[in-house]
Amino acid sequence: AWRSYEEAFRLLQSGSNVGKVVLRIAPLLSTSSSLISPHATQLLTGGTGGLGVLTAKWLAKHGSSSILLASRSGLVHHSIAVPSAARAVQCDAAEHHDCRRLLLEEQRVGGLWHAAGVLSDGLIAKQAASMLQRVFAPKVHGAWALQDASSGHPLDACVLFSSIAALYM
């Protein structure tokens, strides 16, 4: 694991690595964070993926009593341990109608945590337009759909994870 982001990104840029490059960083949010209301639901898109489950565990550890793990399938793989405060729901974050439906069903959404994403490894120069569209849909269209669907909801937190965030686990 790398501790210097400059070195890690230089290695990625060179294309000489085999496998993933992991960068360890200090926690960005303090454990006494006021972002998490124990009485509000935390909506986590991409909630059944690795980054989503890690975030769900963090949310539960820091006081959330209701976490929605939203994913396209709405299913959690049986081998993945999720907090007892979490439940999986079907929602494609890139689809406006899915986001609106989910936010209408929930009484009190206190936080949006947008970790949905599609992996497409490779050098940018070798990515086809169709591959970029596939990757951008959950990130960009999902962020817009969530913003649109939540515009009438007062939120305590809105966190948009970068596509590179999965490398920081």
Side-chain angles (χ1 to χ4, degrees), residues 132-152:
L132 291 175
Q133 176 62 24
R134 190 174 145 257
V135 171
F136 281 168
K139 280 291 172 214
V140 178
H141 299 306
W144 183 252
L146 288 165
Q147 185 278 331
D148 183 48
S150 67
S151 63

Side-chain angles (χ1 to χ4, degrees), residues 106-167:
E106 287 305 309
Q107 295 299 311
R108 169 80 170 96
V109 174
L112 291 177
W113 305 77
H114 183 44
V118 170
L119 179 64
S120 181
D121 281 342
L123 298 174
I124 290 178
K126 296 191 179 196
Q127 296 283 327
S130 61
M131 293 167 72
L132 291 175
Q133 176 62 24
R134 190 174 145 257
V135 171
F136 281 168
K139 280 291 172 214
V140 178
H141 299 306
W144 183 252
L146 288 165
Q147 185 278 331
D148 183 48
S150 67
S151 63
H153 298 265
L155 297 174
D156 300 321
C158 181
V159 178
L160 305 177
F161 288 86
S162 165
S163 296
I164 201 166
L167 298 178

Side-chain angles (χ1 to χ4, degrees), residues 84-105:
S84 60
R87 63 186 166 94
V89 294
Q90 189 282 325
C91 176
D92 185 341
E95 296 294 333
H96 284 258
H97 64 277
D98 273 8
C99 293
R100 277 194 293 277
R101 172 191 50 81
L102 190 56
L103 284 161
L104 284 172
E105 290 173 1

